[in-house]
Amino acid sequence: MSASTGTGRFAAVALIAPLLVFIAVFFIWPLFTVMSQSVSDTAVLNLLPRTAQAAKGWDPQSPPTVEMKTALAEDLQAVEDRQALGDMTRRLNSAQPGFRTLMSRTTRALRKDDLPDLGEVDERWNQPVYWQAIVGALSPTTDRYLLAAVDLERDVSGNIVAMPEEASANRTIMLRTFWVAALVTLCCLAIGFPYAMLIASTEGWKRQALLGAVLLPLWTSLLVRTAAWFIILQDNGLINWMLTGLNITSGPIPLIFNRTGVVIAMTHVLLPFMVLPIYSVLLSIPDNLMKAASSLGAHPMRAFLRVLLPLSLRGIASGSLLVFMTAIGYYITPALIGGAGDQMISSVIAFYATGSANWGMAGALGVVLLAITILLYAVYGRLSSAEERRG
């Protein structure tokens, strides 16, 4: 019995092993890599080991010591990887503007002289503020990116303070992302719930046709759907042509490159994720409940609010969660349909990852979105378990 049990377990593990390897290689490992980038900061430490030793115990409010200047000059002379030097310069320039010109002038002077006095090369090397940026970037791990993702930073004393309003707008864009996702969720609910009720109330080929209509967007490429809305929503597109042709409006309504177009296009794309969970729950509700409420004298609206709606809350919660969690990560639709004030946090992540090659900030923003998604899922799990206990 034990041998057969062991053989069965081995066979079961062998069957799911390819799936586990796939998840580990294409999901867990990339996720871990991105998350590690959000707290990793070795661009400066790898090139300035002597400076790190010389700066130990240095008072950030005092001028730099001669040993620190000498160690920095030796470290910069020893650098052979120009790309690594550029990465370090970008890191320091993001902490203290002016490092690009300072490093360029210093490296040119180091090529001409064996070991010049950095204070004579550029007066800025005598200012503590530039050395504070270097010392602050010498740690291999940092919370700088995670704090910057929510518009926070550490001051000279190490306290967490808010960034200046003109320094970053990540928090504003994050709130805009949640607001757009909430609008799309409400629109999907307003359209999806009646549509799910209509599907559940029909049978045969009518139900299949209605299900096919709502599933059709899932069989079409997201880019194709977005491009179609880009054409339909234009001033001379189908919607404005119909409105002006029926004399409903005197001129075209601006529906593209604004928030309205983004919500319309995203609602169309995400509507199936709202309809299907609600539809599956409505199918499990006995048909005679509404009839019983009506026979007892309840108004149809009262019967809906007191009977059908409470029983379908699980489907509404599931659909709303799916739509909201998917909407906060949308990139293509807001980028093509929306204007400059409609870009969501995914556009900022794409800019940091591909535009400025700042993987630390891209990873930090991704970690913030992941944490919020996990929190929402945990809240939904608690609500579902509480509903099951009440049931």
Side-chain angles (χ1 to χ4, degrees):
M1 180 65 68
S2 60
S4 60
T5 303
T7 304
R9 291 178 178 176
F10 177 78
V13 173
L15 287 174
I16 65 173
L19 176 60
L20 295 178
V21 172
F22 178 84
I23 293 176
V25 173
F26 294 100
F27 181 75
I28 298 179
W29 179 70
L31 183 62
F32 175 78
T33 302
V34 172
M35 294 179 65
S36 63
Q37 288 289 330
S38 65
V39 295
S40 177
D41 192 13
T42 58
V44 179
L45 180 61
N46 290 341
L47 298 186
L48 305 181
R50 301 180 184 87
T51 306
Q53 291 293 329
K56 288 184 177 179
W58 173 65
D59 182 9
Q61 303 299 333
S62 61
T65 63
V66 177
E67 291 77 10
M68 292 169 60
K69 296 179 183 179
T70 303
L72 178 60
E74 293 175 352
D75 284 332
L76 293 179
Q77 279 189 334
V79 174
E80 297 180 356
D81 189 345
R82 311 308 298 179
Q83 181 177 355
L85 180 61
D87 293 339
M88 182 188 71
T89 302
R90 283 193 295 270
R91 165 65 179 88
L92 294 175
N93 192 73
S94 64
Q96 175 59 45
F99 257 106
R100 291 185 184 275
T101 58
L102 180 58
M103 280 294 182
S104 178
R105 180 178 300 178
T106 303
T107 52
R108 286 199 304 268
L110 289 173
R111 286 195 294 266
K112 297 177 182 178
D113 198 349
D114 290 337
L115 199 64
D117 184 0
L118 295 184
E120 296 179 357
V121 173
D122 197 301
E123 180 62 28
R124 286 175 287 183
W125 285 122
N126 295 323
Q127 302 176 13
V129 62
Y130 289 93
W131 291 92
Q132 291 168 4
I134 293 177
V135 173
L138 288 174
S139 175
T141 59
T142 180
D143 60 356
R144 172 175 174 268
Y145 299 121
L146 292 175
L147 292 175
V150 290
D151 291 353
L152 298 175
E153 63 181 357
R154 291 188 180 274
D155 58 12
V156 178
S157 303
N159 299 320
I160 298 177
V161 298
M163 281 186 174
E165 294 184 0
E166 67 277 3
S168 178
N170 291 332
R171 188 183 302 175
T172 301
I173 299 175
M174 193 80 70
L175 293 175
R176 179 197 303 162
T177 300
F178 297 149
W179 174 242
V180 172
L183 288 177
V184 172
T185 302
L186 291 175
C187 292
C188 287
L189 180 60
I191 300 173
F193 190 83
Y195 193 84
M197 291 179 59
L198 179 62
I199 298 176
S201 64
T202 58
E203 294 180 355
W205 67 269
K206 295 180 180 180
R207 175 178 292 182
Q208 300 303 322
L210 292 173
L211 281 173
V214 77
L215 290 174
L216 184 61
L218 295 179
W219 304 333
T220 309
S221 169
L222 175 61
L223 184 59
V224 172
R225 285 175 282 174
T226 304
W229 278 111
F230 184 84
I231 298 173
I232 293 173
L233 296 175
Q234 292 184 9
D235 290 346
N236 56 350
L238 178 61
I239 295 179
N240 278 310
W241 176 77
M242 292 179 60
L243 293 176
T244 54
L246 297 174
N247 293 325
I248 298 176
T249 60
S250 58
I253 301 176
L255 297 175
I256 198 171
F257 304 132
N258 53 31
R259 189 70 51 84
T260 303
V262 172
V263 173
I264 292 174
M266 290 181 63
T267 299
H268 168 255
V269 173
L270 296 174
L271 186 60
F273 297 101
M274 180 67 73
V275 172
L276 296 179
I278 298 177
Y279 166 70
S280 63
V281 172
L282 291 177
L283 284 182
S284 64
I285 300 176
D287 297 335
N288 56 4
L289 292 181
M290 291 293 289
K291 296 178 181 178
S294 178
S295 65
L296 293 175
H299 189 272
M301 182 57 67
R302 180 178 176 84
F304 169 77
L305 295 176
R306 298 295 298 273
V307 178
L308 187 62
L309 184 60
L311 293 176
S312 59
L313 284 179
R314 181 179 299 181
I316 293 174
S318 299
S320 300
L321 182 68
L322 283 174
V323 172
F324 187 86
M325 291 172 58
T326 307
I328 60 177
Y330 255 52
Y331 169 67
I332 295 178
T333 305
L336 293 180
I337 305 297
D342 304 304
Q343 301 305 305
M344 299 169 67
I345 198 64
S346 54
S347 300
V348 181
I349 295 176
F351 167 76
Y352 281 122
T354 61
S356 61
N358 191 345
W359 284 98
M361 275 302 303
L365 291 170
V367 168
V368 172
L369 277 182
L370 178 62
I372 294 172
T373 303
I374 294 175
L375 179 62
L376 291 173
Y377 186 80
V379 171
Y380 168 72
R382 292 292 298 272
L383 293 175
S384 298
S385 59
E387 184 179 348
E388 291 177 359
R389 287 195 297 269
R390 287 195 300 268

